[in-house]
Amino acid sequence: MPKTPPPELAPERIQDIDLETEMQGSFLEYAYSVIYSRALPDARDGLKPVQRRILYQMAEMGLRPDRGHVKSARVVGEVMGKLHPHGDTAIYDALVRLAQEWALRVPLVDGHGNFGSLDDGPAAARYTEARLASPAMALTENLDEDVVDFIPNYDGQFQQPSVLPAAFPNLLVNGASGIAVGMATNMAPHNLIEVVAAATHLLENPDATTEELMEFVPGPDFPSGGILMGLDGVKDAYTNGRGALKVRGKVSVEPLGPRRTGIIVSELPYMVGPERLIEKIRDAVQAKKLQGISDVTDLTDRNHGLRVAIGIKTGFDPNAVLEQLYRLTPLEDSFSINNVALVDGQPRTLGLKEMLRVYVAHRLEVITRRSRYRLARREERLHLVEGLLIAILDIDEVIQVIRSSDDSEQARSRLRSVFDLSELQAEYILELRLRRLTKFSRIELETERDALLAEIAALRELLGSDVLLRAAVAKELDAAADAYGTPRRTLLMNAAPPKPRATKGAAVDLQIADAPTVLVLSTTGRAVRVDLGEGEELSLPPRRSKHDAILTTIETTVRAEIGALTTEGRVLRFSPVDLPSVPSSSVQLAAGAPLRDYLGITTRGERILGFVRFDSEVPIALGTAQGTVKRIVPSTLPVRPDLEVIGMKPGDTVVGAVAARDDDDLVFVTSDAQLLRFSASAVRPQGAPAGGMAGIKLGAGASVLFFGAVNPESDAVVATVSGGDSSLPGTEPGRAKVSPFSEYPAKGRATGGVRAHAFLKGEDRLTVAWVGPSPAQAVDPTGAVRKLPESGARRDASGQPIDGVIGSIGRTLV
């Protein structure tokens, strides 16, 4: 039989497409998706889409700071199911970063549980919990007031904000990093207070230059602190959007034990963990590239923070070893700035001014839209309130109209015609409850009407004035800075890091040269060594740091032996060779070592008061708490490591020790505000065992608070701080006064002195006193600088209130 022919096949549909064209189009679509929807932040709120969706969804879930934490897996599921069409791993990684305080300068998520560390990853999402941090509420506030546009989610079922209102410049504050297609971004974090100050300045001065803005934002402020070396890269980044920085960890050379010196690392460069640093050090030591290190110990814990102790072998220069650490390990790291962000949906490289300008324009639009929304709502409410007032005033007639109507539609129509109401007002009156017909309700409505009229007038004035609008934005920025701002953590150094020492052809010289140096001791007990070259002078940094009040200084050499005179009347011989060395151009006393620990002092309460050069012929004057005074010539002291230089009565202590020539004046200040000055020539020098002579006559219950020596021809000042026995010492600020030393007449030795401070009600003693060269510098008990009143007060004045507790007063280097 003949075979049945197969049915006709459908005609083939083959379309010729140019492969190059198709690849270009598909790649461009993919690149645009990565750039716009994944990798780059928006310049307005500083967030990538996944971060914005996480914060918005958490706000929608009600995960406010005053609510409890919820499982991170729940947050990830809500974000993935409603807003973010990608995997849960990517969402959880973004959530974790928002909670890491070492990654963001101002964390936006409050995490509970193991969110990882710089050297280790976080626990799984099912084990951790999260809620919004307080700053995140400032980024998402007012979303229900039409401040930004909403767009559909990936399947069109939900709406999401295209950008967050962002009450502070998050892009600059927290920075960003991401790799797109053909481009990448790497933006450094900054200090919130400084960025807000710059944004406020730009609001008030739209034509401000980048140099002017850098006066407010001098450089990045990394969450981990560190020291930024050189500002050339910062200037490039702020001007052109690209720049390279060198960041060093913050270190100090401290004694790790008797005759054992070490380098203590307390801060590391951004995103460098202690385990990575230790691993690199061990690798370099094993490869014999790094010398002079005996051991490395990680002492980091939650109570004391980062602390890595690097032991130095005996005979090695800690500074030379530190130089090798900077060169061979991540203790010095590079940070390349590439400020790429989306502006109007397009990637752009932005300088400091451009980033601030985009943000300021965004906030102006947010405040404008919010004000328009609030104006419309208040006008709507005022319209209804006016209708209710009409109904209450003519309530009998209103009831008659409603009762005589056949249905609600007729009642609505008759109300509109009789009382000249709008349809909304008529409908609102028909739904009026009888309890709103009281006299009190009428008073409430009239009060509400007046308040609405005032708010409407204020909103219209705001919308009609660009000056008021900018002032409103500045006010809200200042509020955000006050609420979430913290002090700067990263120290800025103008000088670039020195070039590393050559290591080929010759061994590195680890011997410390016996060069001229100045030993500086702060009032909080920290000491640094400042090695001076020819013609160099000491100076403090432009921005004051902690421990800036100077107790004493001494010129010596690095390997010389000098003495430290203590409150117990002892002189301890030591060499400053192992003390931390700081640059002469910028003396940072916060980098100093506690001198008590360096000298191995274990007696509780014993402090260092001054230094002694054993080859000096200038007498050292000592004053005690019980009013005794003594002078002794250092060159006559016997050579002993620990020498008692004054015989004191039981319970007495030395309160001051200072070099005093015959033409100087010795000064006592007592706790009951008496000051006595007399010539140092009235106290003849004595030997070491002597107990001194009467210096000042003390009142009942009083003790000496300060003792020192002053050149009567100098412009010295007297600074005093009063307090009372009703409060614990160091808990109440009290009142402070600074007056010229010339206001105090000289009297004879062993007399009672003159009044130096008038006490007010609740005050009965001085807590701090100091006499020395102007200007006086005050610090609190932690070493932070406090402001003193201007000099010029009368000697018997009562002083001015101060805003913080003053722990000690000293002089400055300038």
Side-chain angles (χ1 to χ4, degrees), residues 472-486:
V473 173
K475 182 178 179 181
E476 294 189 8
L477 281 172
D478 289 338
D482 292 340
Y484 313 118
T486 54

Side-chain angles (χ1 to χ4, degrees), residues 118-172:
L118 284 166
D119 298 304
D120 197 10
R126 61 184 178 273
Y127 298 122
T128 62
E129 298 177 344
R131 65 183 178 190
L132 289 177
S134 296
M137 301 303 296
L139 294 182
T140 58
E141 65 182 356
N142 306 131
L143 277 173
D144 57 344
E145 295 185 283
D146 190 33
V147 291
V148 296
D149 294 331
F150 276 70
I151 57 176
N153 72 329
Y154 61 90
D155 61 1
Q157 294 188 29
F158 301 97
Q159 294 288 312
Q160 60 182 333
S162 59
V163 66
L164 294 185
F168 61 86
N170 181 63
L171 181 67
L172 273 165

Side-chain angles (χ1 to χ4, degrees), residues 667-675 705-706 717-723 733-740 744 754-759 763 765-772 776 778 787-789 793-802 806 808-809:
V667 185
F668 282 93
V669 183
T670 65
S671 59
D672 59 352
Q674 296 296 307
L675 183 148
L705 204 59
F706 170 85
V717 294
V718 178
T720 51
V721 181
S722 60
R735 302 173 70 88
K737 176 179 70 69
V738 180
S739 54
Y744 299 81
V754 297
R755 186 166 65 174
H757 197 113
F759 295 136
E763 300 175 344
R765 59 183 171 85
L766 293 182
T767 59
V768 181
W770 181 82
V771 183
K787 186 177 181 181
L788 284 170
R794 301 192 321 272
R795 67 175 178 83
D796 57 349
S798 58
Q800 301 178 16
I802 49 180
I806 292 178
S808 58
I809 302 175

Side-chain angles (χ1 to χ4, degrees), residues 39-43 45-49 51-52 171 176 185 187 340-342:
L40 298 184
D42 193 295
D45 62 5
L47 297 172
K48 301 178 185 179
Q51 296 171 328
R52 187 180 304 114
L171 181 67
T185 184
M187 309 180 73
V340 178
L342 296 175

Side-chain angles (χ1 to χ4, degrees), residues 53 140 163 236 291 295 370 493-494 504 575 595 656 714 748 789:
R53 290 163 182 165
T140 58
V163 66
D236 292 339
Q291 303 175 1
D295 58 82
R370 186 185 68 187
M493 300 289 287
N494 287 321
K504 293 183 179 180
S575 172
L595 196 56
S714 66

Side-chain angles (χ1 to χ4, degrees), residues 663-725:
D663 54 356
D664 289 335
D665 279 356
L666 300 183
V667 185
F668 282 93
V669 183
T670 65
S671 59
D672 59 352
Q674 296 296 307
L675 183 148
L676 174 64
R677 59 179 287 195
F678 57 89
S679 176
S681 60
V683 182
R684 59 178 177 82
Q686 297 176 304
M693 59 187 69
I696 185 173
K697 182 178 180 182
L698 295 175
S703 61
V704 174
L705 204 59
F706 170 85
F707 173 79
V710 176
N711 185 339
E713 303 297 328
S714 66
D715 59 344
V717 294
V718 178
T720 51
V721 181
S722 60
D725 286 332

Side-chain angles (χ1 to χ4, degrees), residues 485-766:
T486 54
R488 166 172 281 276
R489 298 177 185 173
T490 300
L491 179 65
L492 303 179
M493 300 289 287
N494 287 321
K499 294 181 179 180
R501 239 185 259 185
T503 57
K504 293 183 179 180
V508 176
D509 184 10
L510 299 182
Q511 295 295 320
I512 303 175
D514 192 22
T517 189
V518 175
L519 196 59
V520 184
L521 179 65
S522 73
T523 58
T524 53
R526 287 186 172 267
V528 293
R529 196 187 77 229
V530 187
D531 298 339
L532 300 178
E534 186 176 354
E536 285 187 321
E537 295 181 355
L538 301 183
S539 65
L540 283 175
R543 290 171 175 262
R544 293 295 174 86
S545 62
K546 284 191 174 184
H547 315 286
D548 276 340
I550 310 300
L551 177 63
T552 186
T553 63
I554 187 171
E555 296 182 7
T556 180
T557 60
V558 174
R559 292 182 173 274
E561 273 202 339
I562 60 175
L565 210 154
T566 76
T567 53
E568 297 298 316
R570 297 192 298 158
V571 170
L572 306 177
R573 285 181 177 263
F574 74 100
S575 172
V577 64
D578 287 330
L579 281 172
S581 177
V582 297
S584 60
S585 59
S586 183
V587 179
Q588 293 285 346
L589 292 178
L595 196 56
R596 271 177 50 93
D597 298 341
Y598 183 81
L599 298 177
I601 295 177
T602 58
T603 305
R604 185 176 181 180
E606 187 174 8
R607 297 181 294 108
I608 310 300
L609 297 175
F611 296 129
V612 176
R613 282 188 58 166
F614 295 110
D615 59 351
S616 175
E617 297 295 331
V618 178
I620 299 294
L622 298 89
T624 73
Q626 296 180 8
T628 300
V629 64
K630 177 182 178 178
R631 286 208 301 165
I632 186 171
V633 179
S635 60
T636 64
L637 294 175
V639 180
R640 296 178 190 170
D642 185 347
L643 174 67
E644 185 176 312
V645 294
I646 183 173
M648 293 186 294
K649 298 177 181 179
D652 200 4
T653 60
V654 179
V655 296
V658 63
R661 301 178 183 274
D662 287 348
D663 54 356
D664 289 335
D665 279 356
L666 300 183
V667 185
F668 282 93
V669 183
T670 65
S671 59
D672 59 352
Q674 296 296 307
L675 183 148
L676 174 64
R677 59 179 287 195
F678 57 89
S679 176
S681 60
V683 182
R684 59 178 177 82
Q686 297 176 304
M693 59 187 69
I696 185 173
K697 182 178 180 182
L698 295 175
S703 61
V704 174
L705 204 59
F706 170 85
F707 173 79
V710 176
N711 185 339
E713 303 297 328
S714 66
D715 59 344
V717 294
V718 178
T720 51
V721 181
S722 60
D725 286 332
S726 59
S727 60
L728 292 174
T731 61
E732 293 293 337
R735 302 173 70 88
K737 176 179 70 69
V738 180
S739 54
F741 180 65
S742 58
E743 291 282 325
Y744 299 81
K747 299 183 70 175
R749 180 181 62 83
T751 58
V754 297
R755 186 166 65 174
H757 197 113
F759 295 136
L760 299 181
K761 184 178 180 181
E763 300 175 344
D764 54 12
R765 59 183 171 85
L766 293 182

Side-chain angles (χ1 to χ4, degrees), residues 441-460:
S441 294
R442 175 184 171 184
I443 296 173
E444 283 183 335
L445 289 172
E446 290 176 345
T447 303
E448 184 180 0
R449 177 196 60 191
D450 296 339
L452 288 171
L453 287 172
E455 292 177 9
I456 289 171
L459 288 170
R460 286 176 177 170

